[in-house]
């Protein structure tokens, strides 16, 4: 008490304002992150028809694959692979655990969220459609939305329609099974839609940049472009073709049931 009474009044007021501001910023960051998640999902239980396209260095299409993603509450996701080259394969995410199920085997195989599917799209990129709950958010400040370091081509068109100013959030993983240890995320200042992100792996290396395309009429993310930062900056586009609310049968979220049931629909 004596220290506070003897402190310079201006300095004391500054400390009080800082103490009040820090919790407010933390609360704002969490709310911003939840707003961004609504653009990616829109419901607790969802079916998302997804198209992944690996692009060549000149931006032309190299390969593509189709997936049906059932993103359910409590960090549970089932991915059904629909293209002929992968037909019958499934990926199941339950919290921090990932399994790959092959139609020729009745034994689920443990995998990591960094397991590649096509191009630079990993299982975690497809199966995880929410950040809140997996990351703690800190509001860094307001910054330009456009990143000048992003190469020209397909990704540049994504940035062309970006808002001028963005909230910059720093996301730190709060659980071990997430795809990325740290994410630097920029959200539109008016609507809080995701604009771009830098995705860091466990070693704190920048693995990928992500650019988000938003359908403003539907208030949802229509595509995510991933740009490799560890190799030749190849681009992979994840397109969300259709969304609808759907709760799957509980047995579909059991790896042993899936191993015994090659056909679900």
């Amino acid at each position: 008490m004596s220290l506070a009474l003897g402190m310079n009044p201006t300095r004391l007021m500054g400390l009080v304002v800082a103490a009040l501001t820090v919790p407010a910023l933390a609360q704002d960051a969490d709310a911003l992150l939840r707003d961004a998640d609504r653009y990616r999902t829109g419901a607790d239980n969802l079916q998302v028809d997804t198209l992944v396209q690996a692009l060549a260095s000149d931006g032309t299409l190299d390969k593509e694959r189709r997936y049906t993603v059932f993103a359910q509450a409590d960090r549970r996701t089932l991915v059904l692979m629909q293209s002929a080259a992968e037909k019958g394969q499934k990926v199941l995410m339950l919290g921090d655990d990932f399994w790959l199920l092959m139609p020729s085997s009745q034994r689920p195989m443990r995998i990591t969220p960094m397991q590649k599917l096509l191009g630079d799209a990993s299982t975690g990129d497809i199966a995880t459609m929410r950040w809140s709950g997996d990351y703690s958010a800190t509001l860094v400040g307001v910054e330009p939305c456009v990143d000048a370091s992003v190469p020209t081509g397909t990704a540049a068109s994504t940035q062309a329609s970006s808002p001028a100013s963005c909230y910059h959030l720093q996301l730190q993983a709060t659980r071990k099974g997430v795809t990325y240890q740290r994410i630097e995320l920029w959200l539109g200042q008016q609507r809080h839609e995701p604009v771009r992100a830098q995705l860091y792996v466990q070693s704190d290396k920048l693995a990928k940049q992500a650019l988000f395309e938003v359908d403003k009429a539907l208030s949802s993310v229509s595509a995510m472009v991933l740009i490799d930062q560890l190799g030749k900056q190849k681009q992979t586009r994840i397109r969300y073709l259709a969304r609808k609310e759907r709760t799957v049968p509980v047995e579909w979220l059991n790896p042993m049931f899936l191993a015994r049931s090659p056909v679900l629909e």
Side-chain angles (χ1 to χ4, degrees), residues 4 12 18 26 31 38 41 51 71 85 88 96 100 116 142 145-146 149 161 170 190-191 198 232 254:
L12 179 60
R38 293 189 188 102
T41 56
L51 175 66
D96 292 333
L100 173 65
K116 289 289 185 69
V142 176
C145 294
V146 174
S149 69
S161 59
Q170 184 176 93
Q190 297 299 319
R191 298 182 178 86
Q198 295 176 340
K232 299 180 180 180
N254 183 319

Side-chain angles (χ1 to χ4, degrees), residues 190-206:
Q190 297 299 319
R191 298 182 178 86
H192 308 162
E193 75 278 16
V195 174
R196 65 182 177 97
Q198 295 176 340
L199 310 173
Y200 292 80
V201 292
Q202 293 289 337
S203 61
D204 208 38
K205 286 185 178 180
L206 176 59

Side-chain angles (χ1 to χ4, degrees), residues 213-226:
E213 299 176 6
V214 174
D215 185 326
K216 294 182 179 179
L218 298 176
S219 296
S220 64
V221 171
S222 58
M224 176 172 66
V225 178
L226 297 174

Side-chain angles (χ1 to χ4, degrees), residues 27 32 45 67 72 76 138 144 165 198 214 222 239 250 255:
Q27 184 177 9
L32 288 170
N45 299 296
Y67 304 91
Q72 306 291 284
R76 301 173 300 164
T138 302
S165 297
Q198 295 176 340
V214 174
S222 58
R239 296 179 57 198
V250 65

Side-chain angles (χ1 to χ4, degrees), residues 16-87:
V16 171
V17 171
L20 293 173
T21 303
V22 170
L25 285 176
Q27 184 177 9
D28 288 346
D30 290 336
L32 288 170
L33 190 59
R34 289 192 295 271
D35 286 348
D37 276 346
R38 293 189 188 102
Y39 277 88
R40 300 178 74 205
T41 56
D44 288 340
N45 299 296
L46 204 65
Q47 175 181 325
V48 185
D49 296 328
T50 305
L51 175 66
V52 179
Q53 299 174 310
L55 306 179
S57 56
D58 62 356
T60 59
L61 179 64
D62 182 18
K63 297 178 182 177
E64 65 180 20
R65 298 283 187 271
R66 289 181 178 269
Y67 304 91
T68 302
V69 180
F70 300 104
Q72 306 291 284
D74 300 323
R75 207 169 185 269
R76 301 173 300 164
T77 300
L78 173 63
V79 180
L80 304 183
M81 304 186 186
Q82 303 291 9
S83 296
E86 303 171 321
K87 192 70 175 179

Side-chain angles (χ1 to χ4, degrees), residues 155-201:
S157 64
T158 305
Q159 292 203 117
S161 59
S162 297
S165 297
C166 278
Y167 288 117
H168 176 189
L169 301 185
Q170 184 176 93
L171 310 184
Q172 193 67 40
T174 58
R175 54 194 306 155
K176 64 179 182 179
V178 296
T179 313
Y180 305 103
Q181 183 65 27
R182 176 167 65 92
I183 297 176
E184 301 293 328
L185 175 65
W186 285 263
L187 308 178
Q189 200 172 357
Q190 297 299 319
R191 298 182 178 86
H192 308 162
E193 75 278 16
V195 174
R196 65 182 177 97
Q198 295 176 340
L199 310 173
Y200 292 80
V201 292

